[in-house]
Amino acid sequence: MSSRVGRRAFLTGTAAAAVVAFDPLGAGWVTEASAEASADVPRVPNLDGELVVDEESVTEAADDYGHLVHRRPVAVLRPGSVRDVVTIVRYANAVDVRVAMRGQGHSTFGQAQAGGGVVIDSRTLATIHEIGADRAVVDAGVQWLDLVQATIAQGLTPPVNTDYLGLSVGGTLSVGGIGGASSHHGMQVDNALELEVVTGDGTLLRCSSTVRPTLFRSVLGGLGQYAIIVRATVRLTPAETTARVYNLFYPDLPSLTAAQRTALADGRFSYLEGQLIPGADGWQYMLEGVVYHTPPTVPDDAAMTAGLNPVATEISDLPYFAWLNRIYDLVEQLKGLRLPGPWINVFVPDRAADAYVQDVLADLSPADAGGVVLLYPVLRARFTRPLVTLPDDDVIFLLAILRAVNPPNEQDVTRLLATNRALYDKARAAGGTHYPVGAIPLTPADWKTHYGPRYPQVILAKATYDPRHVLAPGQGIFRRP
Ligand SMILES: Cc1cc2nc3c(=O)[nH]c(=O)nc-3n(C[C@H](O)[C@H](O)[C@H](O)COP(=O)(O)OP(=O)(O)OC[C@H]3O[C@@H](n4cnc5c(N)ncnc54)[C@H](O)[C@@H]3O)c2cc1C
């Protein structure tokens, strides 16, 4: 049976044309409107939602936040139920096509795409089922923004939030989900308690650290390779009402990282990040520390900045939600510009961090930095999920160059992708790893190196849960058997 799915003439292209079958001989999908639909092609079982092939849906599913890679699926599923996900994954196994769940499509290098296959749009599975005293049960397509709003209304919060809240729960649990509170609580994957998943062979299963723990460990940070997350139970903690934000400025990189190490070690901030800001006179170095609190209890500013020795200090208070959601509007505006985003995110061991970042900055022009450059440390011990691959050191720095190419042009994109690859190689040589949400050209051999001693575990999980390699081809981790 052919795995090549062509968009043939019988895809009539009517708006939201529903797909009824896959024609293995013609290697294409058959729509309701097609006269060629015949009894001898495998029919798509009845769905609660819809499987569509219209141009708008397919084009959207062939794009993402990076606008760098465009692999067109031939159909998009808008599931009406978890059963639809099971149905399509089983059907994909039967007719030998590939499937990717797409959350908000905010990865930058085609990770959520499925060229020639089916993209499942998780936005139609977005119910918050339950908010309890210490946990929430949500569909994978729920945006963290909606969950955060709903939990804050009950005095609760997810312990770790990404800087931007417009990401899906399933999407960040597939990659990790890191933020300023990770220095205390690890990643979002470390705060997932239970999952409901559809494995690559189309089996709906529950898993947790005690029920099917191998599946649970494989899916969290598993880059969508072993199962599709359809529902998650995530940890909640009491929410404070207010964020006091300390922006502390330093004249150079060593003084910034020294202050970050001090603050990380004593855990004084609820949230710890940092930014490298390009300016007219070179780089500015900023520590961003936040203390969550509820007045009348307020942080002691002198104690919070003691020993950190900034050359300038800015202190401000924001309501907790306003703080968490601080970049949402900016990101929505940027999205409208559709700028190419060749992002690179690497984790570097503490022992190599200053030298590596210094080296990167020496060649990084403000134009190539483009958007935001983040640099912050976390404690390795807080990160518990085996497939989130991190350097071997007690302290790890995340360097994230979140660039946007403006004005868009192919030449800069090509050059910056090559730069990303070179920076990745240098990070790897220094004992670093990459955080796989960016745009680094990688081969399956690179992924083997990435997983290192865990690679046999990764191969076994793939063979066990997705033996026909149906899921998430856009990550490019495995060659098809
Ligand atoms: C503006 C912006 C800010 C960001 N800030 C942060 C940050 O602070 N911290 C951080 O950690 N990350 C951050 N990210 C990166 C982000 O976490 C990842 O790109 C994440 O994968 C995006 O979620 P998504 O819902 O858009 O997933 P998608 O891009 O749609 O999918 C990503 C991968 O996960 C798979 N996937 C999606 N849903 C599921 C599911 N339900 N089950 C199984 N696999 C699935 C996809 O197939 C794909 O392989 C940011 C991204 C953007 C654009």
Side-chain angles (χ1 to χ4, degrees):
M1 191 176 291
S2 169
S3 62
R4 199 176 53 77
V5 185
R7 284 174 298 108
R8 291 176 10 131
F10 57 66
L11 295 181
T12 54
T14 54
V19 174
V20 294
F22 175 78
D23 173 9
L25 294 178
W29 294 87
V30 184
T31 67
E32 255 166 9
S34 168
E36 294 181 48
S38 66
D40 58 349
V41 296
R43 309 287 292 190
V44 177
N46 285 341
L47 296 167
D48 299 319
E50 54 177 3
L51 186 63
V52 298
V53 295
D54 62 283
E55 183 62 23
E56 193 182 337
S57 304
V58 166
T59 303
E60 182 186 35
D63 197 9
D64 56 33
Y65 192 87
H67 310 300
L68 300 166
V69 169
H70 300 281
R71 296 191 197 98
R72 289 172 68 82
V74 287
V76 175
L77 173 68
R78 298 205 184 96
S81 62
V82 166
R83 191 176 46 177
D84 282 357
V85 178
V86 172
T87 298
I88 283 299
V89 172
R90 287 188 184 165
Y91 188 79
N93 273 272
V95 301
D96 200 18
V97 299
R98 311 182 87 183
V99 174
M101 183 76 133
R102 182 180 198 268
Q104 293 290 319
H106 281 8
S107 34
T108 54
F109 210 42
Q111 286 92 334
Q113 298 177 21
V118 180
V119 166
I120 305 177
D121 182 342
S122 78
R123 288 176 300 187
T124 53
L125 290 182
T127 302
I128 298 175
H129 293 276
E130 196 183 315
I131 296 179
D134 65 352
R135 62 196 59 203
V137 182
V138 296
D139 283 345
V142 165
Q143 278 188 52
W144 287 99
L145 173 64
D146 295 326
L147 180 60
V148 162
Q149 276 178 309
T151 58
I152 288 178
Q154 302 196 25
L156 297 165
T157 180
V160 181
N161 290 290
T162 48
D163 293 336
Y164 168 61
L165 297 180
L167 308 167
S168 75
V169 169
T172 68
L173 293 185
S174 299
V175 297
I178 193 168
S182 292
S183 48
H184 289 284
H185 303 291
M187 287 185 169
Q188 290 176 325
V189 284
D190 298 295
N191 296 282
L193 302 173
E194 186 178 294
L195 300 175
E196 209 169 295
V197 304
V198 177
T199 56
D201 60 5
T203 311
L204 177 63
L205 294 171
R206 275 176 193 274
C207 57
S208 67
S209 56
T210 52
V211 177
R212 303 187 184 90
T214 306
L215 177 60
F216 189 60
R217 282 194 299 267
S218 303
V219 174
L220 290 172
L223 306 176
Q225 295 304 301
Y226 317 101
I228 290 174
I229 301 168
V230 287
R231 200 176 276 200
T233 304
V234 295
R235 199 159 77 84
L236 300 177
T237 52
E240 307 283 359
T241 62
T242 311
R244 178 157 297 182
V245 183
Y246 296 86
N247 287 338
L248 310 181
F249 294 88
Y250 295 89
D252 52 34
L253 182 72
S255 50
L256 168 67
T257 54
Q260 286 178 316
R261 287 185 187 97
T262 302
L264 179 72
D266 62 28
R268 70 180 76 183
F269 294 120
S270 321
Y271 167 112
L272 175 64
E273 290 202 5
Q275 285 186 39
L276 311 178
I277 306 163
D281 304 324
W283 292 93
Q284 267 197 308
Y285 302 86
M286 182 178 85
L287 182 154
E288 204 175 20
V290 181
V291 183
Y292 300 142
H293 64 285
T294 302
T297 306
V298 290
D300 172 347
D301 293 340
M304 294 318 302
T305 54
L308 300 183
N309 309 317
V311 291
T313 301
E314 290 169 1
I315 302 176
S316 56
D317 281 345
L318 279 177
Y320 178 66
F321 175 71
W323 162 254
L324 292 187
N325 204 31
R326 65 201 175 278
I327 66 167
Y328 190 88
D329 290 344
L330 176 67
V331 173
E332 293 309 303
Q333 270 174 30
L334 278 173
K335 278 202 276 192
L337 300 177
R338 301 181 56 78
L339 299 175
W343 286 15
I344 175 166
N345 300 255
V346 289
F347 290 114
V348 195
D350 191 18
R351 60 179 181 276
D354 283 37
Y356 177 77
V357 176
Q358 209 71 272
D359 193 25
V360 171
L361 291 186
D363 287 333
L364 186 62
S365 69
D368 284 352
V372 174
V373 182
L374 299 177
L375 178 71
Y376 60 90
V378 289
L379 295 171
R380 175 76 180 80
R382 303 272 192 264
F383 294 68
T384 62
R385 303 303 181 197
L387 291 196
V388 175
T389 304
L390 297 167
D392 184 15
D393 206 341
D394 294 343
V395 170
I396 292 161
F397 276 81
L398 172 68
L399 174 68
I401 308 177
L402 311 179
R403 18 173 164 239
V405 178
N406 192 10
N409 71 88
E410 199 56 43
Q411 205 182 345
D412 280 344
V413 165
T414 306
R415 180 176 56 78
L416 290 171
L417 288 176
T419 304
N420 284 356
R421 175 67 214 203
L423 295 182
Y424 165 69
D425 286 336
K426 277 189 190 173
R428 206 159 85 176
T433 61
H434 75 291
Y435 182 44
V437 301
I440 307 171
L442 297 173
T443 64
D446 292 317
W447 284 101
K448 186 173 178 186
T449 307
H450 174 79
Y451 286 115
R454 295 211 173 87
Y455 192 64
Q457 188 181 323
V458 162
I459 291 289
L460 182 61
K462 191 70 174 170
T464 306
Y465 302 117
D466 183 23
R468 295 180 66 91
H469 288 214
V470 164
L471 297 181
Q475 297 281 2
I477 298 173
F478 301 103
R479 291 192 202 289
R480 287 201 94 175

